[in-house]
Amino acid sequence: MKRRQLPVGIHSFATLRAEDYYYVDKTAQISHLVSKGQRYYLSRPRCFGKSLLLDTLRELFEGNERLFHGLAIHQHWDWSVNYPVVHLSFDSGKYCEPGGLNQSIARQLMENENSAGLEPSPEQHSGPERLSSLIKNLHRKTDQQVVVLVDGCDKPILDVMNNRELLNANLKDLSSLYSIIKHNDRLIHFVFISGISMFSGDSFFPELNHLENISFDQNYGTICGYTDKDLDTVFAPELLWLDRDEIRRWYNGYNWREQEKVYNPLDILMLLQKRIFKPYWFESGSSTNLLTFMMEGNIGLLDIEKPRASQSQLSTLDINEPDSISSLFQAGYLTIAGEEQISSKKHYILDYPNFEVRDCLTRRFFEFIEQPSSDISDHGQAFAPLLASNDFQGLAVKLGSFLAGIPCQWHGQNARLESWYATNLFGCLRIVGLDVRVEDPSRRERADMIVFHKDQVFIFELKMADTLGLEKTADKAIMQIRHRGFVDKYQHLNLPIHLIGIAFDREEITGVSLFLKAEPA
């Protein structure tokens, strides 16, 4: 198979098709999309190919047939009809400055006017007035309904979430602009709007509540991103000397209710170009705001280990009280791992999409709370052999030394000290690659932590000491492991099972006082 250019940073469909770049054909899904409806919204994390998808739609509706020869949609499209297109993108722009959004809107509408050969709107016209005039003039000039495409519709909001004054101003300006799309509905043939955030009803932009949100639609789960089949066919010439299983482990795993998982295109293209496994997608953006939000909400790593969430929770962005789980999901740090029915409602089981995200978010989390990830890793490297050799007293000493270094601001006034200690222990074991499962369900309750290492199973129960004292509280933790059926779940593995109860002194804040007891199952 012929080798082609890797489309790193290329969002132009015409460039990809004209200059011999690799292209993953998404036009079969586009054909289905266009034939089934006319008003859509799609949410996907950053760098997932949304811009290329919208540019493909633009070229399609403008009737540039030569670009589609050999693609799935070519024989199913009426090339005799061309539609005028209004294309806006908010993926770039200085939205953190007063007036920055309006400048971006004015510039883009002027570019659309110039491209269509229309007289520019009067300077005193606002963005909404100018968009309304553009739609009407395009319809009048071509005698065709207009196609409206908006990329990054929510970026001017997400960029200023920490600035209430600018947030309200940008939200007002965007709401006025998007209301024009709804009010000119009779002049519009097709609308496709994309962003990172999901929204439903009036939770974000009520002006767009007439759009069909296809973010969870199984028909379009792979409309952005690359599948395993795409890698093994389209990019087959580039896979030589790369470990295919490592590619899956590092980068595969994003899922939006589709049976087939997808890769983030940026990761794959950079890997094929650099030939080195690195967290390309994670490092291309900043996680600081999200981590700040987690800290302010007392959200730790254990809270985002396979959480459950309803579709309404995941598809709603409340700018006044953002939800940590939905924010992590929409930003791409969590993805759908399964579904379950609870009473009459469907809930999604979430998980990290892949090794890249899990490893990087774990490391960044500890760095953010002033625990260098290298220190976490060093302790994890020390814990692992102690577990393997069943040196539980050595583990107790090492754990106490490590936890004593937790910074005071990490405690604050938080009463959930047990979970914070558990988070640090969990991080040490997870960051060195151990198979760690938290809140693992048995037939009765959930175990605090299960660790699989060197063909052994370790069941942890962590408790804050009460009036019983440290030693008796640790004994109580062991008894709970036995009585709650945690052991039964793993006996079929025929592996040594160890029960580990750890008690912490609730009153000890400046240091760490703990007692660890271990027994065979």
Side-chain angles (χ1 to χ4, degrees):
M1 185 181 292
K2 176 185 174 182
R3 296 189 68 179
R4 301 176 183 274
Q5 297 185 76
L6 291 166
V8 178
I10 305 295
H11 308 300
S12 165
F13 179 72
T15 300
L16 290 178
R17 297 293 289 162
E19 299 185 16
D20 201 35
Y21 284 93
Y22 287 107
Y23 174 67
V24 175
D25 187 1
K26 302 290 185 179
T27 62
Q29 289 168 292
I30 291 175
S31 180
H32 185 273
L33 182 83
V34 174
S35 67
K36 297 298 181 182
Q38 297 180 316
R39 308 287 188 270
Y40 294 108
Y41 178 80
L42 176 70
S43 165
R44 288 293 184 267
R46 58 182 172 79
C47 303
F48 237 95
K50 300 186 296 295
S51 297
L52 176 59
L53 174 63
L54 266 72
D55 196 61
T56 305
L57 287 166
R58 180 180 65 82
E59 298 286 1
L60 185 65
F61 281 109
E62 289 181 345
N64 293 317
E65 182 181 4
R66 62 182 178 82
L67 300 176
F68 293 86
H69 281 292
L71 300 184
I73 201 172
H74 184 258
Q75 300 300 321
H76 306 284
W77 189 260
D78 184 359
W79 299 103
S80 66
V81 181
N82 300 336
Y83 296 92
V85 177
V86 175
H87 189 187
L88 303 175
S89 176
F90 296 105
D91 272 345
S92 61
K94 297 180 179 180
Y95 307 120
C96 296
E97 300 176 2
L101 174 58
N102 282 326
Q103 290 176 13
S104 175
I105 293 171
R107 174 184 55 78
Q108 293 191 68
L109 291 176
M110 181 180 67
E111 290 172 354
N112 276 267
E113 291 165 345
N114 292 339
S115 178
L118 298 173
E119 289 293 325
S121 297
E123 290 186 4
Q124 67 270 24
H125 280 189
S126 65
E129 290 174 319
R130 197 165 186 171
L131 176 59
S132 181
S133 177
L134 175 59
I135 292 171
K136 292 172 182 175
N137 288 336
L138 285 172
H139 175 64
R140 189 179 300 117
K141 179 179 179 179
T142 63
D143 199 29
Q144 293 287 350
Q145 289 181 307
V146 178
V147 170
V148 178
L149 308 173
V150 182
D151 193 15
C153 75
D154 53 349
K155 190 172 186 297
I157 300 303
L158 299 179
D159 282 1
V160 296
M161 290 288 279
N162 295 325
N163 185 326
R164 178 57 60 173
E165 184 176 351
L166 267 179
L167 173 64
N168 290 333
N170 287 359
L171 187 59
K172 179 180 178 181
D173 291 337
L174 284 178
S175 296
S176 298
L177 189 74
Y178 296 148
S179 69
I180 298 301
I181 299 173
K182 187 173 184 178
H183 294 156
N184 285 275
D185 193 65
R186 66 182 181 84
L187 303 179
I188 294 176
H189 173 68
F190 183 86
V191 176
F192 195 97
I193 296 178
S194 73
I196 291 176
S197 306
M198 293 189 192
F199 51 86
S200 59
D202 60 356
S203 63
F204 198 41
F205 292 121
E207 296 78 13
L208 300 181
N209 63 9
H210 65 301
L211 302 181
E212 180 183 351
N213 189 340
I214 61 171
S215 305
F216 289 99
D217 193 319
Q218 291 172 300
N219 292 307
Y220 310 111
T222 60
I223 198 168
C224 290
Y226 298 153
T227 65
D228 263 323
K229 182 180 178 181
D230 296 331
L231 264 65
D232 293 331
T233 55
V234 177
F235 295 103
E238 304 295 329
L239 296 178
L240 190 64
W241 308 118
L242 286 173
D243 187 325
R244 195 67 183 78
D245 290 335
E246 272 297 275
I247 297 176
R248 290 191 186 92
R249 186 176 78 92
W250 264 82
Y251 305 121
N252 196 21
Y254 286 97
N255 187 285
W256 289 273
R257 301 190 64 237
E258 169 66 74
Q259 290 184 347
E260 198 166 10
K261 298 176 181 179
V262 295
Y263 299 83
N264 181 286
L266 176 65
D267 274 327
I268 294 303
L269 295 177
M270 292 301 296
L271 171 67
L272 297 181
Q273 182 184 74
K274 303 294 186 181
R275 320 296 292 181
I276 299 173
F277 287 94
K278 290 181 60 178
Y280 298 106
W281 176 79
F282 192 94
E283 292 180 350
S284 69
S286 173
S287 56
T288 300
N289 288 341
L290 195 60
L291 290 166
T292 300
F293 172 56
M294 288 175 63
M295 286 294 292
E296 290 175 348
N298 290 326
I299 303 298
L301 290 178
L302 296 183
D303 298 301
I304 58 175
E305 275 290 309
K306 294 191 176 180
R308 269 69 170 169
S310 66
Q311 180 170 326
S312 61
Q313 179 184 354
L314 295 181
S315 61
T316 301
L317 175 66
D318 187 335
I319 60 176
N320 295 310
E321 295 183 13
D323 176 79
S324 60
I325 299 301
S326 62
S327 297
L328 284 160
F329 171 75
Q330 293 174 24
Y333 298 105
L334 292 174
T335 195
I336 296 174
E339 300 181 14
E340 62 182 5
Q341 196 76 24
I342 300 178
S343 185
S344 61
K345 293 185 178 180
K346 179 178 290 185
H347 283 71
Y348 298 114
I349 303 168
L350 307 181
D351 200 358
Y352 297 107
N354 49 43
F355 170 77
E356 174 196 20
V357 176
R358 185 186 68 206
D359 183 69
C360 288
L361 191 60
T362 301
R363 292 178 184 276
R364 282 288 292 115
F365 180 84
F366 284 108
E367 290 170 357
F368 194 75
I369 62 169
E370 298 183 12
Q371 291 276 62
S373 61
S374 58
D375 290 352
I376 301 290
S377 181
D378 289 344
H379 281 90
Q381 296 286 0
F383 291 163
L386 293 172
L387 282 174
S389 63
N390 302 159
D391 183 358
F392 299 114
Q393 290 308 309
L395 178 66
V397 172
K398 198 71 178 176
L399 178 61
S401 173
F402 164 63
L403 293 177
I406 297 175
C408 60
Q409 64 268 31
W410 179 227
H411 298 279
Q413 297 180 350
N414 194 336
R416 300 187 306 153
L417 294 180
E418 175 187 313
S419 65
W420 296 137
Y421 290 141
T423 294
N424 281 269
L425 175 59
F426 164 78
C428 286
L429 300 175
R430 169 60 68 78
I431 210 168
V432 295
L434 269 63
D435 184 354
V436 187
R437 304 174 192 179
V438 297
E439 295 294 319
D440 196 52
S442 71
R443 66 178 184 270
R444 296 174 189 162
E445 295 190 40
R446 296 176 183 271
D448 282 351
M449 193 179 305
I450 310 291
V451 179
F452 298 85
H453 183 51
K454 297 296 184 182
D455 294 324
Q456 299 181 78
V457 182
F458 304 88
I459 304 177
F460 286 82
E461 185 72 18
L462 282 65
K463 287 192 169 299
M464 303 307 297
D466 50 25
T467 55
L468 294 174
L470 285 172
E471 186 171 354
K472 289 186 177 180
T473 300
D475 288 336
K476 181 180 179 181
I478 296 286
M479 290 175 58
Q480 286 188 354
I481 295 175
R482 295 189 183 280
H483 292 164
R484 292 176 178 175
F486 298 151
V487 175
D488 301 346
K489 184 174 180 178
Y490 300 104
Q491 283 183 329
H492 72 282
L493 298 176
N494 294 318
L495 297 175
I497 300 176
H498 306 274
L499 317 184
I500 303 175
I502 307 178
F504 297 97
D505 187 346
R506 185 183 299 276
E507 304 302 323
E508 184 61 62
I509 297 298
T510 58
V512 173
S513 180
L514 65 85
F515 186 87
L516 184 150
K517 183 174 182 178
E519 293 181 358

